[in-house]
Amino acid sequence: MISILAVQLGFVFALLNLLDQAERTAAREAQAKLIVGHTNKLMHTYYDAANTLKSYFLSRDDNTRAQYEAVMNKVPLELNWLSNNLEGNPEARAGLGAIKKKSNPILAILKKAKRTADEESVIAAIPRLAEFRAEIQPLFDGLVVDADKLIKRQEKILEDNPATQAKERAGIRNILYIGLASNLGIAIFIAFYFFANIVSRVDILMDNTRRLSKGEPLRGRLKAADELGELDRVFHEMAAALSEARRKERAIFDNALDVICAIDSQGRFQEVSPASSSVWGYEPHSLTGSELKDIVAEDQRAALAMCFEAAKTGSLAGPFEASVLAAGSENVIETLWTIQWNEEDSSFYCVAHDITDRKRVESRIREVIEMLPVGIALAHPDGAIEYVNPKLCEIFSYEPYQFDGMHLSDLYDDTEGDDTGLKETRARRAGAIEFPAEVSSVSYDTHEGVRQLVVVIDVTEKFELLRLRRSFVSMVSHELRTPLTSVQSFLGMLTMGIYGDLPEQVTRLGASAERSTKQLIRLINDLLDVEKMEQGRLEMKMEAAIGSDVLQTALEAVEGFADRYEVEIVTSVEDMQFSCDRDRVSQVLINLISNAVKFSDRGSSVYVRGSRTSDHVRFEVEDSGRGIPAPYLSAVFERFQQVDESDAREKGGSGLGLAICKVIVESHGGTIGVESEEGKGSLFWFTLPVSEY
């Protein structure tokens, strides 16, 4: 009996060892399937995040933004799941570590890109889209490589697992057969005693072994507490683990938002996920056995067949688009397909992602482009024109079909360069008619490759207006200023009595006419100054200057003016040296101080301050007058701007003084501004850089 017991114990130990191995093999298989599924889901999530972010860049649609945020929320969930379910798999943990290392900068770039889309306009953000693409692409490529490595390791486990399981099952059967053979003699001897108690249970175990190998439910548990009962318990636990793994795998398949399907080599559906019902309108069972081409737009079937053949040979470049005909309607669902050929099963495993909303957004963007008042062209990197909007056809006097085969160089000069702002160039209409144009070009990535977006503006009218303005200014300079100066001189001599005594009324009228003539000459001079400044013809005579000297020059010019208005000028200027055009800076101070005096109450004070930091000097002119209403603050430095139209009549001035101040200060590389509150006065300030002199 001891020998029999020893044999039985050895048999049970060997069988338990094999079952333990089988359990571990099954666990590895279940874990590998889940890792593959969640890794693929993670990569699809990144892909969806990039696509929805790109759509948000172009549309600024709240729904697209919500889709992007929903997709981004899935990334940490998938990473956390992988982190928590890789116990006993050091290779997978190492692969996940590599993925996490690249995920963090990718997520940071995506978040930065979203902030850019939130904060900037579409036109301003489009160039940034290409920058973010270039920044994220190498990281994403590396992520794809790491994910592919992780997936391939797990797929290798799955590939090897059937053979391992078969070997383990064979070992179990061999152990069982050996055990049965070795115990046959003993069994015959004690058959009557053990028949009802052992053989029947062994039969159950054998049947459960076959059921386990086929994935069928096991028979009821043995109630005995001996070795056979323990073995039965292990069998049931193994079966439960395998069932749970299959359930989770199925749950992923059944709950996927994208349509997942298996298609045989003839193009017929073998299995379809439930998502086909909500996305396409087809129940999964209605598609099984039917051909994919039957639900694809007829004009795309040939291209679809070519893509599947390319996937079969491994030459498919990447995902491709196809239009699926919705069930029971004339609607078309635009889809993006990812396919993988499995030689062992002679099947294609496919994922179809719904991009109908994205295509709709792209269509709306194209509609907007069609209506834009500027010329738009899309071109290949070599300049070959792919698309033009109606305005571009109008600008160049070509019909749309005439742009086929044309290059950007056929339309305008200086086509080199990229990601630039508007630049002036010479363009050519049909018939080789040249005209001035402003052109901007930016490159961006599409699923079809790199493209150039070119904006063209016809500035012929702008140049003509500029010519007319310059002609007017020249006329003012030569035809008005000279005679007005003569009139002013004559009126001055008349009021001074050079031509004899005049009646009081005539003298008063002459003095008024002289003041009006001076004001008109001052306006003409201001106009000429502004024009010279804008044309860059106003030269700055840079020289060493002392702040107190510059201010003193200005004070001498406005002293009589301040006395007339009974306003005190209080100065506080630090001992500071800098380089500037002293006459022009004095002109700025004269304008600011005289304005402050004009709008101050009699008996009040105007404060003039000057200070220096390490890199600039700052002048301030502050009054306690009526102040400037908030709506006018942003426009006070523009031409002909007056807070109140009556100011020009009551206070004098052309509305050009502050505009001239702005041009002078900015020509020095400085800045000018104002701080004001209605009823509490104003503070005008300007800064000039400190440079070598």
Side-chain angles (χ1 to χ4, degrees), residues 47 156 186 258 325 331 355 380 388 405 497 581 599 614 651 667:
Y47 186 83
K156 184 64 168 63
I186 300 171
D258 296 332
L325 306 175
N331 296 334
I355 58 172
H380 293 268
V388 295
D581 186 323
F599 295 102
S614 59
K651 306 290 187 179
S667 297

Side-chain angles (χ1 to χ4, degrees), residues 610-649:
S611 59
R612 170 173 173 166
T613 66
S614 59
D615 58 355
H616 70 265
V617 295
R618 178 183 173 98
F619 288 94
E620 297 178 349
V621 178
E622 183 178 12
D623 64 68
S624 56
R626 71 188 185 189
I628 303 171
Y632 292 91
L633 281 174
S634 61
V636 294
F637 294 102
E638 297 179 6
R639 293 194 222 175
F640 305 109
Q641 291 297 317
Q642 300 270 2
V643 175
D644 190 331
E645 292 183 358
S646 64
D647 290 341
R649 299 187 298 269

Side-chain angles (χ1 to χ4, degrees), residues 307-332:
C307 289
F308 271 78
E309 284 299 319
K312 197 172 184 178
T313 60
S315 59
L316 184 63
F320 61 89
E321 296 181 7
S323 301
V324 176
L325 306 175
S329 71
E330 297 181 354
N331 296 334
V332 174

Side-chain angles (χ1 to χ4, degrees), residues 325-360:
L325 306 175
S329 71
E330 297 181 354
N331 296 334
V332 174
I333 297 96
E334 301 296 340
T335 55
L336 185 69
W337 287 72
T338 303
I339 60 176
Q340 184 71 44
W341 169 252
N342 188 301
E343 187 69 38
E344 184 178 347
D345 298 336
S346 296
S347 299
F348 297 96
Y349 294 100
C350 312
V351 178
H353 179 66
D354 185 358
I355 58 172
T356 305
D357 290 339
R358 191 194 82 186
K359 298 291 285 188
R360 188 178 297 114

Side-chain angles (χ1 to χ4, degrees), residues 309-484:
E309 284 299 319
K312 197 172 184 178
T313 60
S315 59
L316 184 63
F320 61 89
E321 296 181 7
S323 301
V324 176
L325 306 175
S329 71
E330 297 181 354
N331 296 334
V332 174
I333 297 96
E334 301 296 340
T335 55
L336 185 69
W337 287 72
T338 303
I339 60 176
Q340 184 71 44
W341 169 252
N342 188 301
E343 187 69 38
E344 184 178 347
D345 298 336
S346 296
S347 299
F348 297 96
Y349 294 100
C350 312
V351 178
H353 179 66
D354 185 358
I355 58 172
T356 305
D357 290 339
R358 191 194 82 186
K359 298 291 285 188
R360 188 178 297 114
V361 170
E362 291 176 352
S363 176
R364 290 175 180 173
I365 292 174
R366 181 163 294 233
E367 290 175 2
V368 172
I369 291 175
E370 295 282 333
M371 297 185 292
L372 285 175
V374 296
I376 301 291
L378 297 180
H380 293 268
D382 63 356
I385 297 173
E386 183 178 86
Y387 164 81
V388 295
N389 73 338
K391 186 61 178 180
L392 194 82
C393 298
E394 178 187 333
I395 291 174
F396 288 95
S397 301
Y398 286 114
E399 295 296 326
Y401 70 87
Q402 293 179 289
F403 287 94
D404 293 342
M406 294 182 68
H407 285 65
L408 296 176
S409 58
D410 298 324
L411 302 180
Y412 63 90
D413 299 332
D414 192 18
T415 59
E416 299 296 324
D418 190 25
D419 298 335
T420 63
L422 285 173
K423 58 183 180 182
E424 294 184 359
T425 186
R426 300 299 299 175
R428 293 171 293 278
R429 292 191 177 94
I433 301 173
E434 291 193 351
F435 66 96
E438 291 181 345
V439 178
S440 179
S441 175
V442 64
S443 294
Y444 66 99
D445 290 327
T446 71
H447 67 277
E448 296 177 347
V450 178
R451 293 291 186 272
Q452 292 187 68
L453 174 66
V454 180
V455 179
V456 181
I457 303 174
D458 185 351
V459 293
T460 302
E461 293 185 2
K462 173 184 173 181
F463 273 58
E464 181 62 19
L465 289 172
L466 182 60
R467 187 189 66 78
L468 291 173
R469 189 179 73 176
R470 290 173 178 172
S471 297
F472 171 76
V473 172
S474 178
M475 184 271 292
V476 169
S477 175
H478 294 92
E479 304 298 330
L480 291 179
R481 187 166 59 171
T482 300
L484 282 172

